[in-house]
Amino acid sequence: SETKAEITELMPGTLYNFTVSAVAADNETEGGRVPIDLYMRPSQVLDLKAESIGVTSVILKWVVNDSASDTYTYRIEVVNDTFVQNLTFSETKAEIKELMPGTLYNFTVSAVAADNETEGEGVSIDLYTRPSQVLDLKAESIGVTSVTLKWVVNDSASDTYTYRIEVVNDTFVQNLTFSETKAEITELMPGTLYNFTVSAVAANNETEGEGVSIDLYTSKSEFL
């Protein structure tokens, strides 16, 4: 009865033709018809998650249950502190490349209807890429019960990293955390072979780079 109407129970992402005509008071005499074609907005994507996280790439996957989803494309907005990038994919899985190691990104995925314009509401996920491997790992000094290791990291985000060192010998495994690119590992046994594996950890304290290992013997005790 008004010059505005809400039409409900439509299907997401689907093309509809709406034709409007005015009808006189006798409910019979009808004016000229005016048509409009409109796509409904797709639903939000579901179950957005990372299938894998690399040093410079991330693979995302998600689910869409709309009946029209075989006509959809997907827009992914990639955001960090320095840039915003928009990418388009045709499947419910996407590899985003050319990212920076150890860096926080926000990925927002939205479905787009067949007109390539009508877009659903986005769903977001925050992810850190993995730090690069540490470089030039070496022993700065080797003592009877301690070893001092040092290494280099060239990532632009390295000022936010911590470093995990896994210390292994035949009898135990120990995990230590350090904030610098140099670490003294103490309380070792004299004349013993140890494997030290150093990996960088991003600012979330969870996303870890691939480890680099070195085998070293501690010095033997000096007997009087």
Side-chain angles (χ1 to χ4, degrees):
S1 60
E2 306 294 331
T3 58
K4 179 179 178 179
E6 181 181 9
I7 298 94
T8 61
E9 300 183 7
L10 304 177
M11 292 185 293
T14 301
L15 177 63
Y16 286 88
N17 176 271
F18 303 91
T19 301
V20 180
S21 55
V23 181
D26 61 359
N27 291 323
E28 293 182 4
T29 308
E30 188 172 334
R33 297 182 168 213
V34 178
I36 186 171
D37 291 330
L38 295 172
Y39 274 91
M40 300 301 98
R41 295 180 68 189
S43 302
Q44 284 185 308
V45 305
L46 305 172
D47 198 25
L48 174 62
K49 62 181 67 173
E51 182 176 82
S52 67
I53 299 174
V55 175
T56 60
S57 66
V58 168
I59 296 177
L60 302 176
K61 65 177 182 178
W62 57 90
V63 175
V64 182
N65 290 335
D66 293 356
S67 60
S69 62
D70 59 347
T71 68
Y72 290 174
T73 54
Y74 302 93
R75 185 176 74 86
I76 301 182
E77 183 183 69
V78 184
V79 179
N80 77 354
D81 289 339
T82 60
F83 76 96
V84 176
Q85 184 179 23
N86 283 285
L87 304 170
T88 299
F89 297 88
S90 58
E91 306 295 332
T92 57
K93 182 176 176 178
E95 182 177 12
I96 297 95
K97 302 178 181 179
E98 299 182 5
L99 304 176
M100 293 182 293
T103 300
L104 176 62
Y105 288 88
N106 175 271
F107 303 92
T108 301
V109 180
S110 52
V112 181
D115 62 352
N116 294 322
E117 293 181 6
T118 306
E119 187 170 329
E121 185 177 354
V123 176
S124 295
I125 186 171
D126 291 328
L127 296 169
Y128 277 89
T129 48
R130 294 178 68 186
S132 301
Q133 285 184 308
V134 305
L135 304 172
D136 198 25
L137 174 62
K138 63 181 66 172
E140 183 177 78
S141 65
I142 298 175
V144 176
T145 61
S146 67
V147 167
T148 300
L149 302 175
K150 66 177 183 178
W151 58 90
V152 176
V153 182
N154 290 335
D155 293 355
S156 60
S158 62
D159 58 347
T160 68
Y161 291 175
T162 55
Y163 302 93
R164 186 175 74 87
I165 301 182
E166 183 183 70
V167 184
V168 179
N169 76 355
D170 289 338
T171 61
F172 77 96
V173 176
Q174 183 180 22
N175 283 285
L176 304 170
T177 299
F178 298 88
S179 58
E180 306 295 332
T181 58
K182 181 177 178 178
E184 183 182 11
I185 297 95
T186 59
E187 301 182 6
L188 304 176
M189 293 182 293
T192 302
L193 177 63
Y194 288 88
N195 176 271
F196 303 92
T197 301
V198 181
S199 53
V201 182
N204 64 348
N205 294 320
E206 293 180 7
T207 306
E208 187 170 329
E210 186 176 353
V212 176
S213 294
I214 187 171
D215 291 327
L216 296 169
Y217 276 91
T218 50
S219 299
K220 294 182 179 180
S221 299
E222 293 182 5
F223 296 96
L224 299 177

